[in-house]
Amino acid sequence: MSKFRFPVGRLPDEALLSGLATGDPELAVGFVRRFQHRVFGVAVAVTGDPQLAEDVAQQTFERAWRHAQIYDSRRGSVTTWLTTIAHNLAVDAVRSRRPEPVAPEDLDAILDVVSETPERYALADEASSRLRAAMAELPPEQGRALVMAGIYGMTAQQVAEWEHIPLGTAKTRIRTGMGKLRTTLASFQRGDNAQ
C-alpha cells in the first residue's frame, strides 16, 4: 500500500522529481514509469539505434537522479528538463560513435527531414519550439552558417570554405543570424508574440 495520500501516478512531476532526489523508491519508480517512453523516444529518434537508445535512457535517469536537487521550475517543466538531458546525451552518444560529423553540404537535406520527426514531437517544449520557429525565419544561408558554427563547432573560416564564400561573408551570416535569433527569442520572452 502506498504511504502517500494520493496515488503516486497522480502526483505532480515536480513531486516525483523531489522524491527521486530523496531516494524514495516508490517515487523513483513512479518517475521512471511516467517518463520512460518519452525519454526512450527522444533517444531512439536521435540515435536511430534502439539498443543505444536504451543506454541513453538509463543514463538520462541516472543524471536526473544525481542532479534532481538543482532542477529549477522557472527554467522549464520537468518534461522539458528531462528530454533535454536525453537529447544531449543521445547527441553525445552519436558523436562518440561517428568519426566525423555530417558534412555541411548535407545540412539542407537533414534540416528538411528533422522538421517532422518523432524527436520533434518528443521535444515539443516551449523553448525548443521557439528556437525552431526563430531558426525557420532565418534565410537558409544564415541558418546553415549558424548550424555549422553552433552545432558543429566550425570556425568562420571553415564555414567560408565549406560554403565557398569570403570569410567576411561567413562572419556576417553568423553574426546576423545570431542577432536575429536573439531578437526573436527576446520578443517571445517579453510576450510580444502572446496571443
Side-chain angles (χ1 to χ4, degrees):
M1 178 155 179
S2 175
K3 59 186 172 205
F4 301 103
R5 208 169 68 192
F6 298 103
V8 172
R10 293 179 56 201
L11 289 173
D13 295 346
E14 290 81 8
L16 287 178
L17 182 61
S18 296
L20 183 69
T22 62
D24 184 290
E26 189 176 356
L27 292 177
V29 168
F31 183 84
V32 171
R33 285 187 178 154
R34 180 169 296 173
F35 295 105
Q36 66 187 356
H37 295 295
R38 185 168 290 145
V39 167
F40 179 76
V42 169
V44 81
V46 173
T47 64
D49 177 352
Q51 187 172 4
L52 181 58
E54 286 179 15
D55 294 340
V56 167
Q58 182 175 350
Q59 291 171 8
T60 300
F61 287 112
E62 288 171 4
R63 187 165 291 179
W65 170 67
R66 284 195 314 267
H67 299 288
Q69 68 279 0
I70 63 170
Y71 165 73
D72 183 359
S73 62
R74 294 172 296 186
R75 298 185 71 199
S77 68
V78 173
T79 303
T80 300
W81 180 71
L82 195 60
T83 55
T84 300
I85 292 171
H87 180 264
N88 292 341
L89 288 171
V91 168
D92 289 346
V94 170
R95 283 184 184 154
S96 70
R97 288 185 167 208
R98 185 181 296 158
E100 292 181 26
V102 174
E105 62 266 14
D106 296 333
L107 282 175
D108 288 331
I110 291 171
L111 289 173
D112 289 341
V113 171
V114 169
S115 63
E116 296 297 330
T117 64
E119 178 189 9
R120 177 181 178 267
Y121 298 112
L123 293 174
D125 60 86
E126 196 173 323
S128 65
S129 295
R130 288 176 181 167
L131 181 59
R132 279 194 304 274
M135 285 292 290
E137 291 177 14
L138 293 176
E141 63 276 359
Q142 288 176 4
R144 279 194 312 273
L146 278 178
V147 169
M148 284 186 249
I151 295 178
Y152 295 107
M154 295 173 76
T155 65
Q157 180 65 48
Q158 291 169 322
V159 171
E161 290 169 7
W162 276 104
E163 294 285 288
H164 305 291
I165 57 176
L167 175 60
T169 302
K171 288 180 178 180
T172 299
R173 286 180 182 178
I174 295 167
R175 186 175 49 250
T176 304
M178 282 301 297
K180 288 178 181 178
L181 276 182
R182 277 191 203 104
T183 301
T184 302
L185 294 175
S187 71
F188 274 117
Q189 284 187 319
R190 287 191 312 266
D192 295 352
N193 296 351
Q195 296 177 355

